[in-house]
Amino acid sequence: MWNKLFKFGETPPIRLITALFYTGLIPIAYKAQQFGTEIYATNTYMAMVKEGYFYTSKAVNDLPKGVVYGFVAFVSAAVIWKVFCEILLIMVRFFESRK
């Protein structure tokens, strides 16, 4: 298998595009994590905190919002990347059939 993988012209287009898709998910996950972290760091909500005998409000970072926004960013970018890879596969098959 490894012998065929590293020879040019031997690998079927579906395998190449599949490898490209899964490889592209790595930077997408990294950027979605950065986006979620940015949302977490910049959005706060007021929480009631007991200090001694009194309750006071304190600004707290919004972790659930950061996680949800990061997940939504990952899913939406992965869908766009999947559509792009499908279009690329259609183009490669079209040009391969024209030989």
Side-chain angles (χ1 to χ4, degrees):
M1 180 186 151
W2 291 103
N3 221 5
K4 283 183 113 179
L5 186 63
F6 291 110
K7 286 186 178 180
F8 290 107
E10 296 285 325
T11 309
I14 186 77
R15 186 174 292 162
L16 286 175
I17 302 298
T18 302
L20 178 69
F21 172 72
Y22 287 118
T23 304
L25 287 179
I26 296 169
I28 288 173
Y30 176 71
K31 285 303 212 178
Q33 185 270 334
Q34 281 185 330
F35 179 70
T37 302
E38 185 69 23
I39 295 295
Y40 162 73
T42 58
N43 289 301
T44 59
Y45 64 94
M46 300 306 285
M48 296 300 288
V49 178
K50 185 175 182 179
E51 291 182 2
Y53 295 106
F54 302 101
Y55 284 95
T56 183
S57 60
K58 179 180 176 184
V60 178
N61 289 344
D62 198 357
L63 180 63
K65 186 184 276 186
V67 170
V68 168
Y69 277 42
F71 180 74
V72 169
F74 175 75
V75 169
S76 60
V79 167
I80 292 169
W81 179 239
K82 174 73 173 171
V83 169
F84 177 77
C85 287
E86 288 290 337
I87 291 170
L88 188 61
L89 181 63
I90 290 169
M91 289 173 47
V92 166
R93 284 184 176 167
F94 172 75
F95 287 118
E96 191 176 65
S97 69
R98 303 268 314 203
K99 286 183 180 181

